[in-house]
Amino acid sequence: MTDDEFPDAPGADLTALPGLRASIEAILLVVDEPVTELTLAQLLERPRREVAATLRELAGEYTDQGRGFDLREVAGGWRFYTRDICAPVVERFVTDGQQARLTQAALETLAVVAYRQPVSRARVSAIRGVNSDGVMRTLTLRGLIEDVGQDPESQAHLYRTTGYFLERLGLRGLDELPELAPYLPDDLPDEIIEDA
């Protein structure tokens, strides 16, 4: 510990700004979504590589100390999360016995959007074989998908997953979604497999 990290320490200059580590921790405690290294570097007026190294050091320390939270890089930024082992306790506290899970229809629709984006409601409904308009509205309201404009040919609204979707799944990007091929039935026609 240094006076630079903890300006409240005896002998510290109380007019000085907090150190880099304390500043990063304070910002991460109040963010609603993951914050990028670049944003932190600009805000704190420090080199990006210094901020990145500090984030990784903090993440390692929290893990080594067995804290109830950890610092993760998700969806292009950094954020505090409850450590997996503490999830049951936190879930019990937050939900108080109530579950707010997605329905099977919502999960199917979300998967179609995730793997086909940008995609129209009509295309999602065609893939699922049922009307998906209501489910699409629910996923939009929950912040998991968003409207990204219109198809120039059909004028249909197109949808994609959001940063919140990546965050909830713990993914850095869509390229981390698992491959679908191992989960497809063996008896699908070739044109469906190629389209997938």
Side-chain angles (χ1 to χ4, degrees):
M1 287 190 247
T2 67
D3 287 350
D4 178 53
E5 293 175 39
F6 301 99
D8 297 333
D13 178 6
L14 296 178
T15 61
L17 293 174
L20 179 61
R21 293 165 62 92
S23 296
I24 288 173
E25 289 174 329
I27 292 167
L28 292 174
L29 280 172
V30 298
V31 297
D32 290 333
E33 56 189 41
V35 62
T36 66
E37 293 169 359
L38 180 61
T39 300
L40 288 169
Q42 290 172 340
L43 178 70
L44 300 172
E45 299 176 344
R46 293 303 241 311
R48 183 177 179 175
R49 73 183 178 307
E50 182 183 1
V51 169
T54 302
L55 286 163
R56 285 172 179 69
E57 287 171 13
L58 288 169
E61 287 176 20
Y62 300 147
T63 298
D64 293 345
Q65 294 169 1
R67 300 277 183 101
F69 61 91
D70 59 8
L71 178 57
R72 293 186 213 153
E73 184 179 12
V74 176
W78 290 82
R79 186 172 178 192
F80 285 121
Y81 289 88
T82 305
R83 193 161 301 282
D84 293 342
I85 196 168
C86 298
V89 175
V90 174
E91 182 177 341
R92 199 168 345 135
F93 173 76
V94 172
T95 63
D96 193 26
Q98 299 174 13
Q99 299 297 321
R101 299 182 188 267
L102 293 175
T103 64
Q104 183 67 32
L107 289 172
E108 289 172 6
T109 303
L110 189 55
V112 171
V113 174
Y115 283 96
R116 295 295 190 138
Q117 60 189 303
V119 64
S120 68
R121 286 183 183 192
R123 182 70 176 141
V124 171
S125 295
I127 291 170
R128 290 193 60 233
V130 295
N131 185 318
S132 300
D133 289 354
V135 178
M136 295 283 287
R137 278 192 293 279
T138 299
L139 293 173
T140 302
L141 288 172
R142 287 193 172 192
L144 294 168
I145 64 172
E146 63 187 354
D147 186 328
V148 292
Q150 293 181 314
D151 183 317
E153 293 177 18
S154 67
Q155 299 302 310
H157 287 270
L158 299 175
Y159 294 85
R160 70 173 178 204
T161 55
T162 62
Y164 180 65
F165 165 80
L166 293 174
E167 181 185 340
R168 298 298 297 167
L169 266 63
L171 303 173
R172 292 183 189 159
L174 293 172
D175 57 330
E176 290 187 356
L177 285 171
E179 292 293 324
L180 284 180
Y183 302 104
L184 296 175
D186 295 330
D187 58 349
L188 282 178
D190 289 338
E191 64 270 6
I192 293 177
I193 295 172
E194 288 172 9
D195 196 33

